[in-house]
């Protein structure tokens, strides 16, 4: 049965977002009469934009930079760990109420679990080095802790944000350590190393840098980079040269979109179609 509806992405700037491509391809492939739109929004219009979601025919929205946190008090209910993470990336309308959720955490965990399975590991067996303590890292850290990761070291340029993140994770039994680049003594002992900073991102401030030097590691950790443009970052290229297992940022981009799609439509997301769309 076809539904007539609209969803969109709220943020600024949104013109270069890949989400319309991913979602519109998926919506069309399932024959759903729903459009995914770009909703460029200024800070002073955020409240008005959120109120517009209450109109009939609107199923929900994605929220992106710089409003993932600012949108929280404007919603009727926050579910999952979105409040603790401090970010809502998905709004879904249920019984007329605007519900805020975060699909980044699970969107990260699902592809990581697939990769760990290939290495015959589960979350309880990984010792994780999480590089970064910004918005993306917060979602990832909650996802990891909820999935059963028992040991996470958070390294960040700004130690204070790493400490804040560690503090908000205290509701889990996970052992959390914090460190800075300057003082972390060795990367030995981590079997999962995750770049959750913007280092290596095309168009970012450090496109030709790497978040850490992998060359001194004697073991073979799984190297994860959440940067998806370029797909092959310098960090992942270094990992490839060292023959380490790797996971790039595309599967997480697709999976968080798939989870949002399922919340809005109630249909299983066509992952292959979404992948092909980008
Ligand atoms: P996102 O939502 O993508 O996580 P963010 O919240 O701005 O974006 O976080 C960016 C992350 O990249 C932070 O951990 C940031 O470190 P600081 O907290 O010290 O700012 C990290 N980052 C960005 N540029 C960096 C650089 N040149 N060196 C080290 N870390 C950097």
């Amino acid at each position: 049965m076809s539904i007539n509806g609209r969803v969109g992405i709220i943020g600024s700037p949104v013109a270069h977002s890949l989400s319309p491509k991913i979602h519109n391809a998926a919506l069309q492939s399932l024959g759903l009469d729903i459009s995914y739109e770009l909703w460029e929004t200024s800070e002073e219009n955020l409240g008005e934009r959120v109120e517009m979601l209450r109109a009939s025919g609107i199923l929900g929205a994605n929220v992106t930079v710089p409003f993932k946190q600012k949108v929280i008090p404007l919603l009727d209910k926050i579910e999952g760990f979105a409040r603790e993470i401090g970010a809502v990336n998905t709004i879904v309308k249920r019984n007329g109420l605007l519900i805020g959720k975060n699909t980044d955490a699970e969107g990260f965990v699902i592809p990581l679990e697939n990769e760990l399975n290939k290495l015959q590991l589960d979350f309880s067996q990984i010792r994780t080095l999480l590089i970064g303590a910004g918005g993306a890292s917060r979602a990832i850290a909650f996802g990891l802790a909820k999935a059963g990761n028992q040991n996470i070291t958070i390294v960040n340029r700004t130690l204070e944000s790493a400490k804040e993140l560690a503090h908000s994770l205290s509701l889990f039994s996970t052992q959390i350590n914090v460190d800075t680049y300057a003082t972390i003594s060795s990367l030995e002992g981590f079997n999962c190393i995750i770049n959750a900073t913007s280092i290596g991102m095309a168009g970012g401030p450090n496109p030709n840098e790497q978040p850490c030097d992998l060359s001194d590691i004697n073991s073979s950790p799984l190297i994860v980079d959440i940067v998806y443009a370029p797909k092959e970052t310098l960090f992942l290229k270094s990992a490839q040269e060292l023959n380490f297992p790797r996971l790039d940022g595309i599967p997480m981009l697709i999976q968080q979109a798939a989870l949002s799609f399922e919340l809005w439509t109630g249909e299983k997301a066509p992952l292959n179609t979404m992948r092909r769309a980008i």
Side-chain angles (χ1 to χ4, degrees):
M1 193 187 75
S2 97
I3 323 166
N4 197 339
R6 295 165 68 201
V7 283
I9 181 162
I10 299 172
S12 185
V14 290
H16 299 293
S17 168
L18 291 174
S19 296
K21 272 190 187 157
I22 298 173
H23 284 290
N24 282 320
L27 291 162
Q28 279 161 25
S29 81
L30 295 191
L32 297 172
D33 186 16
I34 300 170
S35 62
Y36 187 105
E37 302 168 6
L38 288 172
W39 292 337
E40 176 77 30
T41 302
S42 64
E43 176 132 21
E44 66 264 29
N45 287 333
L46 179 63
E48 200 181 321
R49 172 67 73 190
V50 170
E51 280 313 297
M52 282 165 66
L53 300 178
R54 299 187 189 277
S56 73
I58 299 196
L59 306 178
N62 274 138
V63 184
T64 188
V65 177
F67 302 132
K68 284 186 178 186
Q69 185 153 24
K70 292 190 182 107
V71 79
I72 292 177
L74 305 175
L75 302 174
D76 300 318
K77 193 171 175 214
I78 306 297
E79 286 185 355
F81 284 115
R83 193 182 299 281
E84 290 83 351
I85 292 169
V88 159
N89 77 326
T90 303
I91 302 172
V92 59
K93 205 153 67 175
R94 204 190 297 141
N95 301 327
L97 296 180
L98 299 178
I99 317 283
K101 296 177 83 83
N102 185 307
T103 66
D104 288 330
E106 208 185 336
F108 177 81
V109 159
I110 293 172
L112 178 60
E113 186 170 27
N114 292 340
E115 225 45 45
L116 292 175
N117 285 343
K118 290 184 203 161
L119 301 169
Q120 296 183 322
L121 289 169
D122 64 38
F123 282 102
S124 71
Q125 294 166 304
I126 54 171
R127 293 175 62 86
T128 304
L129 177 64
L130 177 60
I131 307 173
S137 297
R138 291 189 64 87
I140 289 171
F142 272 82
L144 290 170
K146 183 165 177 267
N149 192 173
Q150 294 300 316
N151 197 299
I152 304 174
T153 296
I154 304 164
V155 171
N156 197 43
R157 178 176 59 180
T158 312
L159 187 61
E160 206 44 49
S161 340
K163 284 185 179 164
E164 268 171 41
L165 175 51
H167 180 70
S168 30
L169 290 165
S170 54
L171 68 154
F172 297 99
S173 62
T174 309
Q175 187 192 329
I176 311 284
N177 307 306
V178 296
D179 220 322
T180 63
Y181 294 94
T183 56
I184 187 156
S185 51
S186 164
L187 300 186
E188 211 66 63
F190 297 111
N191 53 2
C192 181
I193 299 181
I194 302 167
N195 174 39
T197 72
S198 46
I199 297 172
M201 193 187 288
N206 330 85
N208 299 314
E209 287 177 28
Q210 296 190 42
C212 67
D213 178 8
L214 300 172
S215 59
D216 286 337
I217 302 176
N218 291 310
S219 54
S220 191
L222 172 62
I223 305 299
V224 184
D225 201 333
I226 67 157
V227 171
Y228 56 80
K231 184 170 178 283
E232 285 286 307
T233 56
L234 280 184
F235 190 46
L236 288 177
K237 281 185 187 147
S238 299
Q240 184 177 19
E241 280 160 22
L242 293 161
N243 234 347
F244 293 169
R246 301 169 301 284
L247 175 61
D248 65 61
I250 301 281
M252 303 149 209
L253 174 70
I254 298 296
Q255 192 60 59
Q256 62 76 29
L259 293 166
S260 303
F261 182 96
E262 289 170 8
L263 287 167
W264 298 321
T265 65
E267 303 279 347
K268 186 141 183 46
L271 288 172
N272 285 334
T273 303
M274 290 179 139
R275 229 172 266 132
R276 273 197 303 272
I278 55 165

